[in-house]
């Protein structure tokens, strides 16, 4: 439990890929975007590179909803306004 707590404390100082936000700052940005736009996209990054050795190999990338390509409409593959949907039109990616 102590090792996990130490690792969490270290990770939460800079959980995003830019290394500029703390976990509290990231949560504030997520909430602000969610309240303003109704959505917030997060990409889960699990590769070690380019992160330093010894760090937890997990980071998040916060993506504004403006980054969604609204012109990506490939209906036969399930894409609509940049969001992939299943047969029931539930977002899956």
């Amino acid at each position: 439990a102590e090792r996990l707590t130490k690792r969490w404390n270290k990770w939460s100082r800079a959980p995003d890929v830019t290394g500029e936000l703390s976990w509290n700052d990231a949560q504030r940005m997520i909430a602000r975007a969610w309240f303003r736009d109704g959505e917030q996209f997060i990409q889960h990054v699990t590769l070690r590179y380019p992160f330093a050795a010894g760090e937890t190999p997990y980071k998040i990338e916060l993506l504004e909803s403006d980054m969604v390509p609204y012109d990506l409409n490939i209906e036969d593959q399930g894409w609509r306004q940049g969001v992939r949907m299943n047969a029931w039109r539930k977002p899956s990616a």
Side-chain angles (χ1 to χ4, degrees):
E2 288 177 21
R3 285 190 346 213
L4 185 58
T5 301
K6 286 180 185 179
R7 199 148 185 173
W8 167 259
N9 289 336
K10 185 176 179 182
W11 178 83
S12 65
R13 285 186 214 129
D16 70 319
V17 293
T18 64
E20 296 178 358
L21 301 174
S22 69
W23 179 238
N24 293 333
D25 293 336
Q27 288 181 321
R28 271 192 287 285
M29 286 187 68
I30 291 167
R32 192 176 305 130
W34 182 40
F35 297 147
R36 181 188 64 225
D37 303 328
E39 60 191 356
Q40 170 67 49
F41 296 101
I42 298 174
Q43 179 170 317
H44 302 276
V45 181
T46 57
L47 300 174
R48 284 195 179 275
Y49 180 81
F51 309 119
E55 285 191 25
T56 304
Y58 175 73
K59 298 282 185 176
I60 59 172
E61 181 180 11
L62 304 178
L63 303 168
E64 289 286 332
S65 59
D66 296 342
M67 301 295 289
V68 174
Y70 289 106
D71 58 345
L72 178 59
N73 291 312
I74 309 171
E75 293 291 336
D76 58 335
Q77 294 180 13
W79 289 96
R80 181 163 186 220
Q81 292 186 336
V83 178
R84 186 172 207 153
M85 300 193 178
N86 65 15
W88 295 97
R89 301 186 59 77
K90 180 180 178 186
S92 60

